[in-house]
């Protein structure tokens, strides 16, 4: 027993040392030998890498380092009060961050931030316990620059037992493998063999990386390293060359809600495949009145006349897949106008708006912000629920609002 352990240690050390000396050659991707890892793309695709590595996609999950965790951990703004006896405090202890529960001033339990989910509108933390991850009860909300209860958690008292299952990682990361436990000493042994949701920490690839969208690229890298003069891409799916539906599906795999019956894991999806092989619709996923602004950009866009009546519109009409959506809304007006040159608003509409709004902000009126029905949260010491607000992707005519 001891001998084999020492041997194991030597093997680990050897693997570690070769990794250090010969990084890119010996990189082993947890997804398998046909994957090359994002680092390997830099040498030939610096421009795409520079953009993508700063995108929300790359940070959709991240290790909970001091720089990745959002929200205040310092005095004045780091306490969430449930009631006069119950407080949750965001604390920095040594180099780690924690959420600590206090009852009547006494510490009851403390859980670390191990992983963070999300970056643009909100961020939630997760911690590891027995091969599972659990959500921390308080999340950070950008719109209010404040802490609030995590989605799906009770708002009146703290819990630490909401599992963050593989499902979440399938949209927020590039890989997480299963872990099967076989030792008889393990309490949970009997179920362990089938328990898909046991997760293997070491196989987690944070964020949505190049190959999550482009599919395995090891052969592509090998070929182009071998033939540096090749100008046309080899051994990689050209998303540009796919049909409109295939291009849409490459985004809709994660951007069309989560209420369908799953036939296969999202992790297996590669560009060019069809969503129909991954999901079967349920009554709720056909209930188009209730598509939520959170998580279902595809469903909403598909309800728009722009989408239905044009043959080319897809997500890339307005988004660079390597970049965050521009926050300057005038950018989108140019795109709208590329199809709507002959645009004429009626007299009443023209009267109610300034010329500059009309020219620069189609989105404000035709893709207004809407409240999510799927997510709401509570702020500290607050009785009311706060809304989670996102822009709808159903481009249409809405009653003109205040602005
Ligand atoms: C040794 C150079 C090299 C490396 C490394 C490399 N590529 Fe490429 N790649 C190319 C060349 C050359 C092309 C064709 C010209 C172009 O589109 O830039 C290309 C094109 C592509 C395309 C466009 C395909 C198309 O036809 O639309 C994608 C996507 C792509 N590469 C992804 C990757 C990813 C992901 C990685 C890292 C895992 C990677 N590449 C690593 C050389 C390389
Ligand atoms: C593997 C799942 C997955 C795929 C595939 C995917 N997305 Fe996303 N996307 C996400 C998640 C998760 C977020 C939220 C990231 C965050 O803020 O933490 C996101 C965020 C975004 C954002 C907002 C980014 C910002 O900060 O402005 C845009 C725009 C977007 N995706 C467009 C696309 C497009 C276009 C495609 C297809 C080319 C695509 N996504 C494919 C999961 C995915
Ligand atoms: C079907 C894919 C999908 C699943 C499953 C999913 N998410 Fe998301 N999530 C998204 C997308 C897409 C966004 C960003 C755009 C939006 O809100 O529509 C997002 C946004 C978020 C955000 C806010 C980030 C931001 O800035 O917009 C957090 C936090 C988050 N998800 C956590 C989770 C957790 C925790 C789970 C599991 C309980 C989960 N998500 C499951 C796709 C998914
Ligand atoms: C969210 C999904 C997504 C991610 C992540 C992503 N790409 Fe792309 N990439 C696309 C799509 C979609 C296209 C096709 C764009 C089009 O048709 O306009 C594309 C196009 C490309 C192209 C062709 C040239 C171009 O810019 O259009 C290259 C090269 C490329 N990607 C490399 C990369 C590399 C390298 C990474 C990682 C650093 C990466 N991509 C990450 C979705 C993605
Ligand atoms: C790829 C071309 C294309 C783009 C880009 C585009 N549209 Fe459209 N849009 C159309 C077409 C085609 C119609 C249908 C016209 C018809 O029915 O005669 C339409 C219809 C509309 C309508 C009428 C909707 C209704 O329900 O009656 C509005 C409003 C509109 N577009 C606004 C916008 C805005 C705002 C943008 C930018 C965010 C935009 N469009 C971008 C092609 C486009
Ligand atoms: C006609 C233009 C247009 C098209 C087409 C389009 N989007 Fe967007 N998208 C926008 C605008 C405008 C925003 C909001 C930007 C803002 O408010 O900062 C946005 C924001 C987003 C966000 C961030 C959510 C938020 O509210 O911050 C995601 C995710 C996203 N788009 C995904 C997609 C996906 C996936 C597709 C394809 C199914 C798609 N978009 C097609 C215009 C478009
Ligand atoms: C202040 C709000 C507002 C702004 C800004 C705005 N619209 Fe509209 N739009 C409306 C309203 C209201 C209608 C319906 C009544 C009408 O036709 O005037 C409409 C109608 C439309 C239609 C359908 C008209 C038709 O012929 O069927 C299109 C297309 C459209 N807008 C596109 C745009 C584009 C593109 C922009 C940006 C350049 C824009 N709108 C800016 C409020 C707005």
């Amino acid at each position: 027993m001891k001998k084999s352990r020492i041997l194991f240690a030597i093997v680990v050390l050897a693997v570690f040392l070769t990794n250090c000396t010969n990084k890119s050659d010996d990189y082993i991707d947890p997804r398998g030998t046909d994957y090359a890892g994002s680092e390997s793309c830099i040498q030939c695709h610096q421009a795409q890498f520079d953009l993508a590595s700063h995108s929300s996609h790359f940070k959709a999950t991240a290790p909970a380092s001091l720089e990745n965790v959002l929200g205040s951990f310092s005095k004045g703004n780091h306490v969430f009060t449930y009631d006069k006896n119950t407080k949750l405090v965001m604390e920095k202890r040594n180099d780690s961050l924690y959420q600590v529960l206090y009852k009547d001033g006494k510490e009851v339990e403390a859980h670390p931030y191990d992983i963070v989910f999300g970056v643009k509108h909100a961020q939630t933390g997760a911690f590891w316990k027995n091969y599972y991850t659990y959500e921390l009860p308080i999340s950070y909300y950008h719109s209010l620059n404040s802490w609030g209860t995590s989605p799906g958690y009770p708002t009146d008292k703290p819990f630490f037992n909401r599992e963050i299952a593989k499902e979440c990682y399938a949209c927020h990361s590039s890989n997480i493998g299963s872990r099967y436990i076989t030792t008889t000493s393990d309490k949970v042994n009997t179920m362990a063999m089938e328990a898909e949701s046991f997760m293997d920490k070491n196989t987690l690839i944070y964020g949505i990386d190049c190959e999550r969208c482009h599919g395995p690229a090891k052969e592509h890298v090998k070929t182009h390293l071998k033939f540096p003069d090749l100008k046309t891409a080899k051994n990689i799916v050209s998303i540009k060359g796919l049909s409109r539906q295939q291009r849409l599906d490459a985004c809709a795999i994660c951007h069309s809600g989560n209420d369908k019956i799953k036939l296969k894991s999202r992790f297996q999806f590669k560009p060019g495949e069809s969503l129909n092989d991954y999901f079967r619709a349920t009554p709720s996923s056909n209930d188009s009145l209730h598509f939520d602004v959170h998580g279902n950009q595809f469903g909403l866009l598909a309800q728009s006349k722009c989408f239905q009546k044009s043959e080319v519109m897809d997500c890339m009409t307005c988004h660079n897949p390597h970049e965050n959506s521009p926050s300057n809304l005038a950018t989108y007006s140019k795109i709208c106008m590329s199809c709507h040159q002959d645009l004429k608003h009626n007299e009443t509409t023209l009267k109610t708006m300034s010329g500059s709004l009309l020219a620069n902000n189609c989105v404000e009126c035709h893709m207004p912000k809407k409240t999510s029905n799927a997510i709401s949260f509570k702020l500290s010491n607050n009785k009311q629920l706060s809304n989670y607000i996102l822009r709808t992707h159903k481009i249409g005519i809405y009653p003109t609002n205040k602005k």
Side-chain angles (χ1 to χ4, degrees):
M1 187 62 186
K2 261 193 188 149
K3 243 186 211 163
S4 68
R5 266 199 204 158
I6 291 167
L7 199 70
F8 178 68
I10 290 172
V11 171
V12 168
L13 196 70
V15 169
F16 179 72
L17 287 176
T18 42
N19 265 350
C20 289
T21 49
N22 210 344
K23 204 168 171 243
S24 60
D25 278 356
D26 290 350
Y27 171 78
I28 298 169
D29 194 286
R31 286 167 289 195
T33 50
D34 43 352
Y35 285 83
S38 297
E39 299 272 312
S40 72
C41 317
I42 305 175
Q43 51 190 317
C44 302
H45 300 298
Q46 182 84 48
Q48 284 84 1
F49 185 86
D50 287 348
L51 289 176
S53 58
H54 293 105
S55 69
S56 302
H57 278 141
F58 258 59
K59 297 177 197 151
T61 38
S65 65
L66 294 184
E67 54 172 17
N68 286 339
V69 179
L70 305 174
S72 174
F73 284 72
S74 50
K75 284 216 166 54
N77 211 356
H78 68 147
V79 179
F80 185 95
T81 307
Y82 284 95
D83 57 53
K84 63 183 193 311
N85 309 317
T86 320
K87 285 186 173 51
L88 199 106
V89 185
M90 310 335 131
E91 290 184 16
K92 180 168 177 270
R93 296 180 171 179
N94 299 319
D95 279 334
S96 301
L97 300 170
Y98 290 82
Q99 293 195 354
V100 188
L101 174 63
Y102 291 92
K103 284 242 160 100
D104 301 318
K106 283 204 197 75
E107 178 175 334
V108 183
E109 51 187 315
H111 296 280
Y113 275 79
D114 288 328
I115 301 169
V116 283
F117 277 72
V119 58
K120 186 181 189 185
H121 294 286
Q123 185 180 72
T124 217
F127 61 93
W128 281 101
K129 199 174 104 190
N130 303 333
Y131 318 114
Y132 289 110
T133 53
Y134 295 87
E135 186 166 11
L136 290 166
I138 298 300
S139 291
Y140 173 76
Y141 294 89
H142 257 305
S143 59
L144 299 162
N145 184 19
S146 186
W147 300 104
T149 51
S150 298
Y153 257 120
T155 53
D156 57 341
K157 47 181 174 291
F159 281 109
F160 293 91
N161 54 7
R162 183 177 185 235
E163 198 189 318
I164 294 205
K166 258 193 165 176
E167 196 56 39
C168 307
Y169 293 89
C171 287
H172 281 266
S173 80
S174 296
N175 188 65
I176 181 118
S178 296
R179 188 190 166 110
Y180 299 96
I181 298 142
T182 46
T183 43
T184 38
S185 59
D186 205 301
K187 261 193 228 143
V188 279
N189 171 58
T190 39
M191 291 164 51
M193 293 306 288
E194 297 122 81
E196 254 268 26
S197 52
F198 275 130
M199 293 187 287
D200 185 352
K201 233 185 230 192
N202 301 320
T203 61
L204 173 57
I205 301 177
Y206 292 103
I208 295 154
D209 73 356
C210 313
E211 288 164 292
R212 182 75 173 94
C213 283
H214 286 293
K218 185 66 163 270
E219 282 305 315
H220 170 72
V221 171
K222 268 198 197 156
T223 310
H224 285 280
L225 282 174
K226 203 162 161 198
F227 305 104
D229 294 334
L230 262 182
K231 293 283 179 283
T232 49
K234 293 277 182 264
N235 301 322
I236 188 118
V237 177
S238 171
I239 300 184
K240 279 204 167 74
L242 296 176
S243 73
R244 183 198 194 191
Q245 193 56 54
Q246 287 170 316
R247 285 164 62 81
L248 286 160
D249 285 357
C251 309
I253 184 77
C254 302
H255 287 282
S256 61
N258 197 23
D259 49 4
K260 293 172 274 316
I261 296 167
K262 246 144 278 155
L263 307 172
K264 285 199 228 174
S265 158
R266 283 188 176 86
F267 279 127
Q268 289 173 265
F269 184 88
K270 317 230 166 24
E273 291 190 283
S274 165
L275 282 201
N276 296 333
D277 297 333
Y278 282 77
F279 308 115
R280 193 178 309 128
T282 59
S284 79
S285 58
N286 283 327
D287 181 3
S288 57
L289 282 178
H290 295 103
F291 284 165
D292 201 84
V293 285
H294 164 65
N296 202 350
Q297 288 81 17
F298 170 71
L300 290 164
L301 185 70
Q303 295 182 332
S304 315
K305 271 203 188 144
C306 304
F307 180 87
Q308 294 164 356
K309 297 271 172 89
S310 84
E311 268 152 32
V312 291
M313 183 181 272
D314 61 30
C315 310
M316 274 62 84
T317 306
C318 298
H319 296 293
N320 177 337
H322 304 133
E323 223 177 345
N324 288 342
S325 56
S327 54
N328 176 2
L329 296 178
T331 320
Y332 300 96
S333 295
K334 291 207 189 77
I335 301 169
C336 309
M337 289 311 282
S338 69
C339 292
H340 289 290
Q341 299 95 340
D342 307 329
L343 172 70
K344 278 200 186 66
H345 286 95
N346 67 28
E347 288 298 320
T348 345
T349 313
L350 291 170
K351 251 185 236 154
T352 55
M353 67 178 127
S354 70
S356 79
L357 182 64
L358 185 58
N360 299 321
N361 205 342
C362 318
V363 161
E364 199 60 49
C365 293
H366 292 298
M367 298 178 72
K369 290 189 172 166
K370 295 270 178 194
T371 298
S372 165
N373 296 315
I375 298 180
S376 60
F377 57 94
K378 224 176 222 180
L379 296 174
S380 179
N381 251 332
N382 226 291
K383 291 234 155 52
Q384 261 154 12
L385 286 173
S386 297
N387 291 328
Y388 194 71
I389 296 165
L390 293 174
R391 221 167 259 296
T392 182
H393 273 67
K394 183 173 178 180
I395 310 171
I397 295 170
Y398 295 85
T400 5
N401 36 13
K402 310 123 260 166
K403 278 194 188 157

